[in-house]
Amino acid sequence: MNYSTLKKGLALSFVTAVGVSTLASAQDSTATSSSAKVFGGRGQYRTWSVGVNGGVLSPFVAIGGSNDFTNADVNLGYGVSLKKQLGHAFGLEGNIFRGKISGTNKDATGGSQFGVREFETSIGYAADIRGVVNVATVDFLRRENSVNFFVTAGYGLIAYAPKVTYASGAVVDWKDNAGDDGTKKYVKEAYIPVGAGVKFKVSDRVAFNLGYTMHFVDSDNLDGVYAKATTKDKFSYGYAGLEFSLGSKAKPDLEWVNPLALMYDELKDPSLRQEVEALKTRVSNVEKSVEDLKKDSDGDGVSDQFDKCPGTPAGTAVDGSGCPLPAPVSTVATNVTGFETIQFEFNSSVLKTESYPTLDKLSSVLRENGGKALVKGYASSEGTAAYNLKLSKDRANSVKTYLVNSGVNASQVTTKGLGEANPIASNDTEEGRIQNRRVETSRN
């Protein structure tokens, strides 16, 4: 059988396999396993598989190149494989195969070249490890793949023994060159396998493979002939085989899972939709709460949530808490001297709005007439004497701060905290204590 016969045989095998795949994939699967999740890891899939294969071996390769023989015979080869799928599109595969390679020079002038008529090389074993990459699928319209194209490349070791028939009729069989222990001698060399193929899903457990691999040997004696010192021998293996997925039947095979379909199924998960709806409800509630916080019933610019004086008449000027601002001094009091007593709330040094007219008048007097003022702070008798002394100082400083902020020079105001001293009313009653919480101002 010559190389043309080999190509015809491989083409026939491919057509037959396509027919088998077409029948097997007639049942169009529309769903993947609901147990698998997009980011669930490899543990949720079957990832190990074993395979058996058989086919034809030839000393020629599809890409051409130089050969030591003009005619290639086609011989049987067979092997087994073990694969670990690492992702949807990539796996590692170990292969072992055996067989025989042979060729002749019958088309050469005189039926020989390089002084050789024919050869036959026995492969004791060839073992390699390859990366397998799924590069495409023809079932892109389906949610579950059933046909995959793949490419492979790797590194291996081959043990072989050529048998050469020379033009003179002499035969040299390398296996006859036995070792010291009497065993047959095989040459061991490294090789690089590079191949491609197509895989058809027959069932959930079984796949039918068609492939073609070129093997580039790191030697020029695979056929027993050293034709050129700079050339390397090569051979090819066209095969068909079955691959069996291992593992729990409840898990899908990682190699055949469509990740886009898996993602779509996960997005369709009812529990996920329920979570989305619940989230939309929570967002709606938050938006309503924000609208409630912004609600301003009396239109004074302060939301109801923070308005301490709700129902303010329209147009009324208010402070940050929504309460009306005091009327200008000129319209509230015309007999204010600026030296009236200033009252404070319990345990507070914050100025009350009702004291603003007095302070504004005192500021005007100091700015227009000059002079200095003494500001004395007092406290009622609640709490410790030390605390009340501090509180009285804070009250006096609040008055000074107001005056300075209104334009009075700081050097014009002297403050003093007197604590519980000099009460103007009894500290035994609430009315008396209210009067004692004060600041008194006088000319200094």
Side-chain angles (χ1 to χ4, degrees), residues 416-435:
K416 182 180 295 185
L418 299 175
E420 302 173 11
N422 306 324
I424 59 175
S426 173
N427 279 311
D428 294 333
T429 65
E430 180 61 22
E431 292 78 4
R433 289 190 289 271
I434 290 173
Q435 295 182 56

Side-chain angles (χ1 to χ4, degrees), residues 283-304:
V283 170
S284 178
N285 291 337
V286 170
E287 290 176 343
K288 184 178 182 304
S289 298
V290 171
E291 290 300 320
D292 290 342
L293 287 173
K294 293 166 59 179
K295 187 177 181 181
D296 181 11
S297 301
D298 56 10
D300 60 2
V302 180
S303 64
D304 293 351

Side-chain angles (χ1 to χ4, degrees), residues 50-258:
V50 295
V52 294
N53 56 77
V56 291
L57 288 163
S58 168
F60 292 174
V61 295
I63 61 175
S66 62
N67 295 95
D68 298 334
F69 292 83
T70 60
N71 302 87
D73 296 332
V74 175
N75 299 281
L76 175 65
Y78 54 91
V80 296
S81 64
L82 176 65
K83 188 175 73 171
K84 170 68 173 180
Q85 195 70 25
L86 300 177
H88 292 289
F90 179 76
L92 286 177
E93 182 178 78
N95 289 273
I96 300 177
F97 65 92
R98 299 187 66 185
K100 182 174 66 174
I101 305 170
S102 64
T104 70
N105 280 320
K106 65 181 181 179
D107 290 343
T109 303
S112 69
Q113 64 177 355
F114 308 117
V116 179
R117 191 168 63 199
E118 62 184 25
F119 85 98
E120 181 182 288
T121 297
S122 175
I123 299 177
Y125 68 85
D128 60 66
I129 185 167
R130 309 174 188 178
V132 183
V133 179
N134 295 333
V135 294
T137 174
V138 297
D139 283 351
F140 54 87
L141 294 179
R142 298 184 182 180
R143 298 180 67 254
E144 185 172 296
N145 298 339
S146 59
V147 180
N148 281 340
F149 292 93
F150 61 88
V151 295
T152 64
Y155 182 85
L157 181 68
I158 184 172
Y160 56 89
K163 179 180 178 181
V164 180
T165 300
Y166 291 92
S168 63
V171 177
V172 176
D173 190 343
W174 289 38
K175 287 188 293 186
D176 292 340
N177 186 12
D180 295 337
D181 57 358
T183 58
K184 295 179 180 180
K185 183 176 180 180
Y186 284 84
V187 180
K188 298 180 177 63
E189 295 288 354
Y191 70 92
I192 301 295
V194 178
V198 59
K199 178 176 296 187
F200 305 90
K201 185 176 182 181
V202 178
S203 71
D204 192 47
R205 287 283 188 180
V206 182
F208 178 72
N209 299 345
L210 282 176
Y212 178 79
T213 305
M214 298 176 292
H215 305 77
F216 300 91
V217 183
D218 189 23
S219 173
D220 186 35
N221 61 4
L222 179 69
D223 52 16
V225 177
Y226 291 99
K228 297 179 181 178
T230 59
T231 62
K232 305 288 186 180
D233 284 336
K234 49 195 175 295
F235 67 97
S236 62
Y237 180 41
Y239 62 90
L242 295 176
E243 186 175 340
F244 304 91
S245 176
L246 305 177
S248 172
K249 185 178 181 180
K251 297 180 179 180
D253 189 342
L254 176 58
E255 182 175 14
W256 295 107
V257 171
N258 183 334

Side-chain angles (χ1 to χ4, degrees), residues 233-422:
D233 284 336
K234 49 195 175 295
F235 67 97
S236 62
Y237 180 41
Y239 62 90
L242 295 176
E243 186 175 340
F244 304 91
S245 176
L246 305 177
S248 172
K249 185 178 181 180
K251 297 180 179 180
D253 189 342
L254 176 58
E255 182 175 14
W256 295 107
V257 171
N258 183 334
L260 294 180
L262 186 66
M263 184 178 296
Y264 179 75
D265 287 341
E266 190 164 320
L267 291 174
K268 283 178 58 181
D269 190 332
S271 62
L272 181 60
R273 288 187 174 274
Q274 291 172 4
E275 290 182 11
V276 172
E277 291 301 323
L279 180 60
K280 288 168 63 177
T281 300
R282 290 196 293 270
V283 170
S284 178
N285 291 337
V286 170
E287 290 176 343
K288 184 178 182 304
S289 298
V290 171
E291 290 300 320
D292 290 342
L293 287 173
K294 293 166 59 179
K295 187 177 181 181
D296 181 11
S297 301
D298 56 10
D300 60 2
V302 180
S303 64
D304 293 351
Q305 184 77 13
F306 305 104
D307 198 339
K308 294 183 179 180
C309 299
T312 304
T316 302
V318 298
D319 57 19
S321 62
C323 294
L325 291 171
V329 174
S330 59
T331 60
V332 174
T334 58
N335 57 346
V336 174
T337 65
F339 295 95
E340 285 79 10
T341 299
I342 298 170
Q343 303 295 143
F344 290 83
E345 296 291 344
F346 169 72
N347 194 32
S348 173
S349 61
V350 177
L351 293 170
K352 299 166 70 173
T353 56
E354 60 198 45
S355 65
Y356 292 168
T358 298
L359 294 171
D360 290 339
K361 181 62 176 178
L362 178 57
S363 173
S364 177
V365 170
L366 293 175
R367 285 184 287 109
E368 294 177 4
N369 302 324
K372 296 183 178 181
L374 175 62
V375 179
K376 296 180 290 186
Y378 296 93
S380 55
S381 62
E382 296 99 326
T384 64
Y387 180 80
N388 287 332
L389 178 62
K390 178 181 181 302
L391 181 59
S392 67
K393 292 179 180 178
D394 291 342
R395 288 170 173 169
N397 286 328
S398 293
V399 171
K400 180 176 180 178
T401 299
Y402 187 97
L403 294 173
V404 171
N405 288 339
S406 68
V408 176
N409 193 303
S411 62
Q412 292 181 263
V413 183
T414 302
T415 61
K416 182 180 295 185
L418 299 175
E420 302 173 11
N422 306 324

